[in-house]
Structures are given as C-alpha cells and as structure tokens.
Amino acid sequence: MTMKYLFLLIFILIYLSGINIGYAQHTPEYTHFVYMFQHTNILHLTLNAFSFISFARMLEKVIPQYFLYGYVYVAAVIASYASIKLHPTIGASGMVFALLGIYITLSICGKKLKIINKSKYLIWLFSIITSAVILAFNPHINNLNHLYAFIIGTIVGIIENSISHKKGWTSLAVSYTHLRAHETSQDLV
C-alpha cells in the first residue's frame, strides 16, 4: 500500500470517529500535528482526499514517498503555527497546497516534471488560481494556512529540483560524501 492511501485511510477513520483534533489559538500543542486528518463534512473530506491523491500520484513518480510525505506533513505543521491566530483549522488542505506548490515549481522550473501540453497546463493552472481566489473570499477558510503551505511547498520544489534521489539517498548526501572523500585526499597531499 502506498503512503497516499494510508493518509486517505486515516482521513476516513478520523472522520468516521467524530473526534475533534483541529487546532485553534488555545488548543493543546499536539493539535498542530494532527489537525490535517480531521474534516468537517463528507464534501470537505472528498475534495481534500481527491486533491491529495491526485497531486501525490504525480509527484510520487519523481520524489520518493518518504521524502514527499515528510515534506508536505512538515509544511502543514509549520503553516498551522504561522496562521494560528486566524481561525480554528482542520483538514488536509495545508498538505494539498504544499503538494500544489511542489508540483507547480517542479513542472515550471524543473527537470523532473515536463509539461507535455502547454495549453492544457495553462488552463489547469488558471482553474487552480481561480479556485484559490474564490476560496480566499470564504471567511470560514484559513487562507493564511493555505498560502503558507503553498509557499513552503514552492520552496521545497525549488530545493527538490536540485536533488537527485539515488536509492534512498539524496544527492546532497552523495555530494557530502564526495566532498569528504575529496577533503581526505587533500589531507593526504
């Protein structure tokens, strides 16, 4: 089972359980680490799950799962702290917006994802931007959380664009090993 379906299973189980794990200004600290698994209603759950699975499927092809889900989870946690004073918040949209930031960055600036049909991509991008603008006018949505998660995802996309994953190690680790070997050979001279 890939991790995206594990996340989906957690979304569904939390929704069916009815427990409240969203964060607000005075909730326990742990809620910043679990809020993304709770959803208000079946529509909220379905939209977030569909978006999460869609972006995750595309990005899993170019980023190892543990890195990808680590990135988006951490992005959602950081976004929750950055936007805590705005609204009580629940839902996976922080992770979805982080995935969106990574996807757009890798597809526009990257070597890992190639845009095959530019006109369809522009239509898709326009629809995403239009949806985000429409969401911005809903007073019950924590748009700051979405914005911060998207920005973090974009930064991750820029960094990820320069990383080559080789058998679980990033090129940064490989470069460090290469650098240490070079320094060691310099010490011998």
Side-chain angles (χ1 to χ4, degrees):
M1 175 189 289
T2 64
M3 289 182 66
K4 65 182 168 282
Y5 297 116
L6 180 62
F7 274 86
L8 180 61
L9 180 63
I10 294 169
F11 296 160
I12 293 168
L13 291 175
I14 296 292
Y15 176 74
L16 293 175
S17 74
I19 61 173
N20 185 5
I21 53 175
Y23 77 84
Q25 198 163 2
H26 300 292
T27 55
E29 202 67 26
Y30 76 87
T31 58
H32 289 280
F33 298 91
V34 295
Y35 78 94
M36 66 285 294
F37 299 111
Q38 181 186 358
H39 293 84
T40 55
N41 56 43
I42 196 71
L43 179 62
H44 186 213
L45 172 67
T46 303
L47 290 174
N48 274 341
F50 176 76
S51 301
F52 184 84
I53 297 289
S54 298
F55 287 122
R57 286 186 69 210
M58 292 183 282
L59 289 170
E60 280 180 349
K61 296 174 184 174
V62 294
I63 302 173
Q65 287 186 41
Y66 293 109
F67 285 98
L68 178 62
Y69 297 112
Y71 293 152
V72 298
Y73 178 77
V74 169
V77 170
I78 292 169
S80 75
Y81 279 104
S83 62
I84 190 168
K85 295 190 187 292
L86 194 59
H87 294 278
T89 301
I90 59 175
S93 56
M95 291 192 299
V96 169
F97 274 84
L99 285 167
L100 178 63
I102 295 169
Y103 180 77
I104 289 175
T105 305
L106 289 181
S107 62
I108 291 176
C109 309
K111 304 169 241 177
K112 295 182 178 189
L113 290 175
K114 300 294 180 206
I115 300 169
I116 296 170
N117 186 328
K118 289 185 181 181
S119 60
K120 284 184 181 178
Y121 182 82
L122 289 173
I123 291 169
W124 172 82
L125 192 57
F126 177 75
S127 65
I128 293 294
I129 292 168
T130 304
S131 299
V133 169
I134 291 169
L135 285 174
F137 290 106
N138 186 330
H140 303 293
I141 294 177
N142 189 342
N143 291 298
L144 224 53
N145 181 287
H146 295 170
L147 178 63
Y148 291 141
F150 179 80
I151 290 169
I152 294 166
T154 302
I155 293 167
V156 166
I158 291 167
I159 294 168
E160 182 62 37
N161 192 39
S162 65
I163 294 175
S164 170
H165 294 280
K166 297 179 182 178
K167 296 183 183 179
W169 294 95
T170 67
S171 65
L172 295 177
V174 173
S175 297
Y176 177 75
T177 305
H178 182 269
L179 178 65
R180 292 296 300 153
H182 181 68
E183 287 176 355
T184 306
S185 66
Q186 292 285 340
D187 293 340
L188 296 175
V189 176

